[in-house]
Amino acid sequence: MGLINGRHSGTSRRTEKGGEDQIHGHRVEFEDIDEDDLTVSGPKRAAAGLKAVAVSFERGLHQGGMSRTARSFLRVNQPDGVDCPGCAWPESTTGHRKKLEFCENGAKALAEENTQRVVTPEWWAEHSIAELEQKTEYWLGQSGRITHPMIIREGETHYRPIGWGEAFRTIAEHVQATTPERCVFYTSGRTANETAFMYQLLARSLGTNNLPDCSNMCHESSGTAMSPTIGIGKGTVTLEDLEQAELIFVVGQNPGTNHPRMLGSLADCRKNGGKVVAVNPLPEAGLLTFKDPQTPQGLVGGGDRISDEYLQIKVGGDQALFQALGHLLIQAEEEQPGTVLDPSFIESSTSGFEEYREARAELDWEVTERATGLSREEVEHIAGLMARSKATIFCWALGITQQPHSVDTIREIVNLLLLQGNFGKPGAGACPVRGHSNVQGDRTFGIWEKPREEFLAALDAEFGITSPREHGCDSTDAMTAMAAGRADVFVSLGGNLAMANSDTALMAQALRRTGLTVHISTKPNRSHVVHGRTSIILPTLGRSDRDDKHPGGAQILSVENSMSVVSSTQGRLEPVSDHLLAEPVIIARMAEAILGRDHQVDWRAMAEDYDVIRDHASRVVPGTEDFNRRVRQKYGFVLPNPPRDHRSFATADGRAAFSVRDLEYLEPPEGYLVLQTMRSHDQYNTTFYGLDDRYRGISGGRRVILIHPEDLAESGFADRDLVDVVSMFRGEERRAPRFRLVAYPTVRGCVAAYYPEANALVHRDLVARESNTPGFKAMMVRFEPHEDGPDSREDGVAVDSSVVMA
């Protein structure tokens, strides 16, 4: 049976747009995206429920079969089980965990990893690079798990098998033929702590801090804003704090799709008497109603209301809202001293309050309303909720972090929390919600292009190396360097940078200009297709795969969730191929090939026994002392967090800092609208599970623009018209063809499209100041009628390469 557009199909024929994979030697068909199959039914008002259960098990059974699905689902996010490879939302460390501790998209992530579809050497022999360039990301990912190491050299048309030993020797030859600063080591958030620690050790042993990662493209703005103001770049709340909060803001975030288990915490907050305020340009089902599929009310009843208030704010208008709230809170405190702010906390633990109070003394309401799209009455009502709350949490995600003024906006969130002393007390704090399973752990264990001296000094002392002190390149800088021919080797530990980064055409050019690209991967993706002059694919175990080819038997790894809990993860499923290696083993063998077996670091010892890695890390990474014992505790252990634990702040003066920044918001020029990118419900980052964004009522296609009906009428187009999207930045225009306009109840002046199809419209220099995060939520776009022609392909890099000077 095949899977066609998320539905079962009884046919086994092969069509022109279809693909085939193998399960136990049998050919199975699946179809590629056909944008003409698009159907629109309108947005839903509730998330999860019985439908989520049905979809979860359907996808699991279809990819991995009954046995693998049952075994993986029952163990996911359980003690001694496997950590979900999806989002980084935590599980309880104090109370009872549910029998099924996962969400629909977690189930889809497991199904993708547990698939028995395989991409063999024969598959690569059948599909040339020229053919694969014509395929969509969906088709590539649905083809299955890669079974053998593969290589393609300059001038060749197909990948071919290569032995592991030859692969590592080839990598070593390229690295040794260049200099450390011309090597780039990228990683994604799916990497475990132990692998991340080894990976950064390899890069620094070689002599480079070129360690870009997916954090650069998502929450880098959060850490950049929080570290100098509260002394830590991580969230300061626990899971229990959300249940105890009197008021929770959910800003620029869609938990119904991206972190569905968060909805249970929000529902519990409301049941305990708290209130939830959603701030988002789009009406998202998960922020309206949650049907918990593990309760009778969720399965057959109306579900739980999530948001008490829903502010449909303009994209980029959040800083204006937060400045207005600060103005109103200070004003309320002046009217009723001692009832709104926390003066003792401000006096004892903060700096810069007087400057902040002076900056917020006056407010231009006309500008505030224009920037936010909200009325004064709406903002004043929300300020009243804040004034009465004694325990407030701000949660936010990429809707806040991917704009030019993102860092300033997050500093305003910190200001509001400081005003009322919302650190170090129950039910209060900052909660940047990380998107990928271990993206926070990767940073904790050293994946960062701007490492602190304390970390490098400890690393050098532990291993007897001399780490470089010069900062390396982040993901945006890496793209620029590679495109300019200033990089010779690019190694990718997971991830798909060709589609994840901004400026798609430049990113493709960057990869193609690199002498060697190395991809440690589980499934085919676009980065394998727009490859370097030589490209090697090293297939690795997934998180749910059994890792037992070691002298001491099966190994465990560890991850860190959004709330700084480090816990173990161990796969138990039979790998789809005997030719896969675990990530730590791949890193160790690569390091030995590059640096030599007589290098002072004993790479082989770490590859054979992951306890050795953790012993090393425990003497380098603060808070991980006695790592091996503590990670084997039932729920792992929590890393130290001074603002949360002691109401202390590791800043230069030991105080949390108020910030004063000028107001900034996104105001498009005449004839343009502000475009934000977003995920589909059937998607996780650049991985497409299917083609059904059912909460938004979009199915079958992905090249859509959601636009308010009045903006649609003013643009001169009609619902479902086919257009080319043109973005403008600093006099340059970029064009992405053949998108379909869909009338949708988003906020006026703002439109939305799926990531990564719209990434081509993001100029490489459109980034957040200070953090350098791409401006995926800040594009100025207009539309032109689409005309079919030779350059109108709908997917792949070629369609996204048009750049003209305005």
Side-chain angles (χ1 to χ4, degrees):
M1 238 179 226
L3 183 66
I4 296 182
N5 292 342
R7 298 182 296 274
H8 288 289
S9 167
T11 179
S12 61
R13 62 183 175 84
R14 181 175 182 135
T15 66
E16 183 179 0
K17 67 179 180 180
E20 295 179 351
D21 57 74
Q22 290 188 351
I23 299 180
H24 300 311
H26 299 288
R27 290 285 187 178
V28 179
E29 180 211 1
F30 57 93
E31 288 193 4
D32 205 353
I33 302 173
D34 184 344
E35 295 293 338
D36 292 333
D37 290 342
L38 176 71
T39 60
V40 180
S41 59
K44 306 296 187 292
R45 297 192 61 82
L50 189 59
K51 179 68 173 179
V53 176
V55 171
S56 297
F57 283 93
E58 177 193 24
R59 299 294 175 84
L61 295 174
H62 217 52
Q63 293 277 3
M66 176 65 77
S67 176
R68 289 171 70 88
T69 297
R71 282 183 288 158
S72 61
F73 281 12
L74 289 172
R75 297 192 69 251
V76 66
N77 292 331
Q78 300 294 343
D80 299 321
V82 60
D83 187 77
C84 178
C87 79
W89 192 253
E91 300 79 42
S92 174
T93 59
T94 60
H96 175 69
R97 292 192 184 181
K98 299 174 181 177
K99 292 287 187 182
L100 298 179
E101 190 67 62
F102 61 89
C103 66
E104 177 187 344
N105 266 12
K108 292 174 184 175
L110 282 167
E112 291 287 311
E113 186 170 278
N114 295 344
T115 185
Q116 294 188 74
R117 301 174 182 178
V118 290
V119 174
T120 62
E122 291 74 22
W123 185 94
W124 295 103
E126 291 174 7
H127 301 294
S128 68
I129 293 297
E131 179 187 348
L132 294 177
E133 285 179 337
Q134 305 300 315
K135 301 299 185 181
T136 67
E137 209 61 33
Y138 173 68
W139 187 93
L140 291 171
Q142 289 298 308
S143 295
R145 292 283 299 272
I146 303 169
T147 61
H148 291 69
M150 307 298 296
I151 187 172
I152 187 169
R153 298 184 187 273
E154 190 168 13
E156 296 179 343
T157 59
H158 291 71
Y159 276 96
R160 57 180 175 79
I162 184 174
W164 280 104
E166 184 185 353
F168 292 126
R169 287 192 295 273
T170 303
I171 295 168
E173 289 168 2
H174 280 263
V175 173
Q176 292 164 359
T178 188
T179 54
E181 68 272 10
R182 296 179 68 86
C183 298
V184 177
F185 295 86
Y186 173 78
T187 188
S188 80
R190 67 174 295 276
T191 305
N193 293 328
E194 293 78 6
T195 314
F197 186 75
M198 293 179 70
Y199 196 57
Q200 62 83 30
L201 177 61
L202 167 58
R204 292 181 173 122
S205 296
L206 180 64
T208 182
N209 283 314
N210 287 340
L211 284 159
D213 72 336
C214 57
S215 287
N216 298 148
M217 295 174 285
C218 55
H219 267 290
E220 196 69 51
S221 297
S222 298
T224 303
M226 295 167 67
S227 292
T229 54
I230 63 171
I232 193 169
K234 301 180 180 181
T236 66
V237 300
T238 66
L239 192 63
E240 290 69 34
D241 283 326
L242 274 87
E243 299 172 5
Q244 299 171 35
E246 294 184 19
L247 181 63
I248 299 176
F249 282 83
V250 182
V251 190
Q253 184 191 354
N254 176 21
T257 286
N258 298 326
H259 318 90
R261 287 183 299 127
M262 180 182 180
L263 299 179
S265 297
L266 297 177
D268 288 341
C269 170
R270 294 193 72 254
K271 290 174 183 176
N272 294 333
K275 293 185 179 298
V276 176
V277 175
V279 184
N280 203 65
L282 294 169
E284 301 288 15
L287 291 172
L288 298 172
T289 305
F290 171 48
K291 293 186 175 183
D292 186 343
Q294 299 195 55
T295 67
Q297 170 73 4
L299 285 176
V300 298
D304 296 308
R305 179 178 173 179
I306 294 298
S307 298
D308 296 273
E309 306 292 340
Y310 204 117
L311 302 182
Q312 276 196 258
I313 195 169
K314 284 184 177 180
V315 176
D318 307 275
Q319 187 193 15
L321 170 63
F322 301 149
Q323 287 190 356
L325 292 175
H327 164 78
L328 292 169
L329 289 178
I330 290 173
Q331 190 177 76
E333 173 71 14
E334 291 172 349
E335 294 172 357
Q336 294 182 306
T339 64
V340 177
L341 305 188
D342 187 339
S344 62
F345 172 79
I346 293 171
E347 175 66 24
S348 66
S349 303
T350 73
S351 63
F353 172 68
E354 290 303 324
E355 293 84 350
Y356 176 78
R357 179 164 61 180
E358 182 178 349
R360 300 282 81 80
E362 302 293 335
L363 187 72
D364 187 328
W365 278 104
E366 182 179 345
V367 171
T368 300
E369 290 180 331
R370 184 169 70 247
T372 62
L374 306 172
S375 69
R376 178 171 180 170
E377 290 73 22
E378 286 179 289
V379 177
E380 289 178 336
H381 174 65
I382 300 302
L385 296 179
M386 282 200 73
R388 292 187 292 274
S389 172
K390 302 305 180 186
T392 298
I393 292 174
F394 270 85
C395 304
W396 71 91
L398 306 195
I400 294 292
T401 66
Q402 296 177 329
Q403 297 155 0
H405 56 299
S406 289
V407 174
D408 292 350
T409 299
I410 296 165
R411 283 174 176 263
E412 295 292 355
I413 291 176
V414 173
N415 287 338
L416 291 175
L417 291 169
L418 292 176
L419 283 175
Q420 297 183 290
N422 281 306
F423 288 101
K425 65 181 184 181
C431 183
V433 182
R434 311 288 177 176
H436 212 158
S437 167
N438 196 43
V439 65
Q440 187 161 301
D442 282 359
R443 183 61 55 88
T444 298
F445 284 81
I447 301 293
W448 197 22
E449 75 280 358
K450 297 187 286 287
R452 292 187 172 88
E453 173 59 30
E454 296 84 356
F455 180 90
L456 295 181
L459 191 72
D460 291 354
E462 177 67 16
F463 291 101
I465 64 173
T466 302
S467 298
R469 264 52 181 182
E470 182 179 356
H471 288 174
C473 61
D474 60 22
S475 61
T476 299
D477 292 336
M479 172 175 61
T480 303
M482 292 161 66
R486 299 197 304 272
D488 298 317
V489 176
F490 172 76
V491 183
S492 182
L493 179 55
N496 178 12
L497 194 58
M499 297 306 286
N501 214 347
S502 61
D503 212 334
T504 311
L506 185 70
M507 189 66 245
Q509 176 187 329
L511 289 167
R512 284 170 169 148
R513 291 200 65 179
T514 303
L516 173 70
T517 52
V518 180
H519 305 280
I520 302 170
S521 304
T522 57
K523 305 179 83 172
N525 65 49
R526 183 67 48 191
S527 297
H528 304 152
V529 178
V530 290
H531 55 75
R533 290 190 293 275
T534 295
S535 181
I536 295 176
I537 302 172
L538 305 178
T540 186
L541 297 176
R543 189 173 291 177
S544 56
D545 292 332
R546 187 172 64 244
D547 181 8
D548 58 358
K549 295 180 180 179
H550 302 267
Q555 300 292 303
I556 64 168
L557 291 164
S558 67
V559 294
E560 178 187 350
N561 64 36
S562 265
M563 294 178 185
S564 303
V565 179
V566 176
S567 58
S568 66
T569 178
Q570 184 176 33
R572 301 290 176 88
L573 297 183
E574 180 70 23
V576 296
S577 168
D578 291 335
H579 300 277
L580 308 183
L581 292 181
E583 286 180 342
V585 176
I586 293 174
I587 303 306
R589 293 188 61 180
M590 189 187 305
E592 282 192 343
I594 295 170
L595 301 170
R597 289 194 175 183
D598 58 349
H599 189 257
Q600 58 263 48
V601 176
D602 191 343
W603 300 98
R604 181 161 299 189
M606 289 190 280
E608 291 181 348
D609 184 355
Y610 300 168
D611 279 1
V612 176
I613 310 173
R614 287 184 283 271
D615 281 340
H616 284 304
S618 70
R619 295 185 286 269
V620 175
V621 180
T624 64
E625 299 81 5
D626 198 13
F627 197 168
N628 275 307
R629 181 189 65 81
R630 294 165 72 203
V631 79
R632 287 175 167 86
Q633 295 174 155
K634 183 175 182 180
Y635 296 131
F637 63 96
V638 184
L639 291 170
N641 189 301
R644 180 198 64 208
D645 301 337
H646 312 294
R647 228 182 197 190
S648 62
F649 304 93
T651 57
D653 61 0
R655 289 170 171 262
F658 281 92
S659 306
V660 176
R661 299 293 175 96
D662 292 336
L663 174 62
E664 185 175 343
Y665 56 97
L666 301 176
E667 192 161 35
E670 185 69 26
Y672 285 78
L673 300 167
V674 179
L675 171 67
Q676 65 161 333
T677 62
M678 61 186 183
R679 290 173 179 164
S680 159
H681 188 62
D682 245 355
Q683 170 186 1
Y684 204 83
N685 295 341
T686 59
T687 300
F688 305 155
Y689 304 139
L691 302 174
D692 187 10
D693 192 7
R694 73 171 185 273
Y695 293 158
R696 298 191 184 105
I698 308 293
S699 181
R702 292 185 52 86
R703 296 182 75 84
V704 298
I705 300 288
L706 305 186
I707 180 172
H708 192 281
E710 294 179 25
D711 288 328
L712 182 61
E714 287 185 7
S715 71
F717 292 98
D719 188 32
R720 315 299 164 81
D721 274 357
L722 208 56
V723 299
D724 293 345
V725 186
V726 181
S727 68
M728 184 269 290
F729 181 76
R730 293 182 182 172
E732 286 189 21
E733 289 187 347
R734 278 164 166 68
R735 180 182 299 270
R738 212 169 187 276
F739 277 73
R740 202 170 294 277
L741 297 174
V742 175
Y744 200 84
T746 185
V747 70
R748 285 294 309 272
C750 303
V751 295
Y754 293 127
Y755 157 108
E757 284 81 357
N759 289 15
L761 298 165
V762 185
H763 191 285
R764 62 188 175 278
D765 294 330
L766 176 55
V767 295
R769 293 185 303 276
E770 300 181 63
S771 70
N772 215 29
T773 297
F776 292 121
K777 308 291 191 294
M779 288 169 275
M780 306 299 169
V781 299
R782 59 182 172 84
F783 311 119
E784 294 181 358
H786 173 74
E787 296 180 5
D788 285 319
D791 298 321
S792 63
R793 262 196 316 121
E794 292 181 2
D795 198 86
V797 172
V799 302
D800 300 330
S801 60
S802 176
V803 180
V804 297
M805 296 302 294

